[in-house]
Amino acid sequence: MRAGLFLEVGRVLPGELDKPVPGEGEALIKISYAGICGTDMMIYAGKHPRAKAPLALGHEFCGMIEQVNGQGGFAAGDRVVVEPTLSCGTCDACRAGQNHVCRTLKLIGIDKHGGFAEYVTAPLHRLHRVPEELSDELAALTEPLACAVHTVRRSRVKVGDTVAVLGAGPIGLLVGLVAKLAGAQRIIISDISPYRLSVAKQLGFTALNAKETNVVESVKALTEGKGADVVFEVAGTPATAKQMVEIAKIQGEIFVVSVFKEPPAVDLANMHYREISLTTSRCYSGGDFSAAMQMMAANMLDLSPLISHRIGLHDIAEGFELMKNTEQSLKILIRP
């Protein structure tokens, strides 16, 4: 089968793999769409500790079942989204029902071949049936939306809050949309990409260009000097690690969504004196995944503005180059 293969740092090219055969309790899925994610870019840059070349990346994808091996309530022809997390089932986190923070958590598209291919195999218990009302394109966004759902659910966002989001990439924009659904009155979002900020404005957010304005001063001005009730850090930079403390209000909450490539400097004393809480999240639970899909099917939010490009597997190298340029890209979908 055709596949987009990560071969070495800075090289993702079209290639071939043997078509997989589903094991017991698995399904063979023909991929419809797969999205390029920030984690894929981390692997591309050689910054991921587990992913080993050659590897078909891609953990955000949907498709149609071609073959089922086992019992699980699914059949050939079903449209599905794959929840790509693979947990051990026996560690303390898994035994407590928190398999998304499994001690040895693995992911399809990182620890085994993923969605940048014509076919993939996945355990039946990781499949979610796609509602009839939901297009394949939007279904492929279920995984990143589930990240945002999980994040906002773990946060203290409540009706009437002012929320600041540092980073207007796909996850940052999704967090803003879900926070708005959760009752936030105002969403302030910052970035250095005019293109991504234009999408943020289109979604109804107050957009701050961090290259042209002082983010801390602007947030303070917009909140009468108080700061934001909840700050979501979704950029993973030293600058935003500093800003997140300064723009949180007294007894506010900082929520770190990013996976920082290097440990950032954080002003803990400043947080201490203002009783600021710090929270983090890692991916999502099955409930978050289902909720994300149902939210899209019910037209509770429109994610189509986040899709900047649709490309074929033969153009996957260009897709990764595009993703490096935030002035041109947001969510790139690959259709095998």
Side-chain angles (χ1 to χ4, degrees):
M1 67 175 180
R2 291 178 296 114
L5 297 175
F6 167 64
L7 299 174
E8 62 183 9
V9 175
R11 287 186 74 215
V12 174
L13 295 173
E16 290 188 349
L17 291 172
D18 291 336
K19 183 178 176 179
V21 176
E24 178 64 31
E26 291 187 333
L28 176 68
I29 300 160
K30 183 175 176 60
I31 301 297
S32 300
Y33 285 100
I36 302 178
C37 168
T39 302
D40 298 316
M41 297 306 295
M42 186 183 295
I43 296 170
Y44 180 71
K47 301 291 187 181
H48 198 283
R50 298 197 317 271
K52 306 298 180 186
L55 177 67
L57 304 178
H59 58 275
E60 305 175 358
F61 58 90
C62 70
M64 182 176 289
I65 294 178
E66 186 166 289
Q67 181 184 348
V68 173
N69 185 355
Q71 301 297 316
F74 293 93
D78 287 345
R79 290 195 307 139
V80 294
V81 168
V82 177
E83 187 178 343
T85 51
L86 303 171
S87 54
C88 72
T90 58
C91 71
D92 51 348
C94 287
R95 289 164 64 88
Q98 305 297 326
N99 63 296
H100 66 289
V101 284
C102 169
R103 286 180 177 270
T104 58
L105 187 69
K106 294 179 172 56
L107 269 81
I108 297 170
I110 296 176
D111 301 282
K112 60 169 286 187
H113 293 309
F116 296 163
E118 290 185 273
Y119 294 90
V120 72
T121 56
L124 293 169
H125 69 276
R126 309 315 285 160
L127 305 184
H128 296 257
R129 189 173 280 103
V130 177
E132 186 177 336
E133 308 92 325
L134 195 59
S135 70
D136 287 341
E137 283 191 357
L138 292 180
L141 302 182
T142 302
E143 198 271 355
L145 179 57
C147 288
V149 170
H150 183 71
T151 293
V152 175
R153 279 178 162 178
R154 278 182 52 78
S155 76
R156 300 202 311 238
V157 173
K158 60 185 182 299
V159 174
D161 275 355
T162 292
V163 164
V165 181
L166 302 176
I171 297 297
L173 294 172
L174 289 169
V175 166
L177 286 169
V178 178
K180 187 174 183 179
L181 283 177
Q185 182 177 6
R186 172 187 282 169
I187 311 291
I188 305 167
I189 192 162
S190 69
D191 205 283
I192 60 173
S193 165
Y195 165 64
R196 293 185 169 192
L197 290 170
S198 70
V199 177
K201 289 179 182 177
Q202 182 181 343
L203 295 173
F205 304 149
T206 301
L208 302 177
N209 189 323
K211 281 186 174 180
E212 298 177 353
T213 187
N214 184 304
V215 172
V216 175
E217 291 180 0
S218 296
V219 172
K220 291 291 182 67
L222 289 166
T223 58
E224 300 179 338
K226 298 175 184 177
D229 296 284
V230 181
V231 179
F232 293 99
E233 196 293 316
V234 204
T237 70
T240 51
K242 184 174 186 294
Q243 291 166 1
M244 67 184 188
V245 177
E246 296 175 343
I247 64 175
K249 76 170 190 178
I250 292 172
Q251 293 186 329
E253 179 184 38
I254 297 169
F255 204 108
V256 176
V257 186
S258 300
V259 179
F260 281 83
K261 296 179 179 65
E262 301 291 339
V266 178
D267 190 347
L268 295 178
N270 193 346
M271 292 177 60
H272 171 83
Y273 290 123
R274 293 187 292 135
E275 289 194 343
I276 293 173
S277 301
L278 178 65
T279 313
T280 63
S281 66
R282 183 181 185 185
C283 57
Y284 36 73
S285 68
D288 301 318
F289 222 85
S290 297
M293 194 179 301
Q294 293 302 324
M295 287 161 63
M296 287 189 289
N299 293 316
M300 294 175 67
L301 32 71
D302 179 15
L303 303 191
S304 55
L306 275 67
I307 303 172
S308 60
H309 298 80
R310 301 158 181 84
I311 64 175
L313 268 179
H314 57 282
D315 290 324
I316 193 167
E318 291 80 358
F320 272 75
E321 284 300 310
L322 270 172
M323 277 294 287
K324 289 164 58 178
N325 186 352
T326 61
E327 298 297 340
Q328 296 182 344
S329 66
L330 198 49
K331 177 57 67 178
I332 296 177
L333 293 182
I334 295 173
R335 185 167 194 173

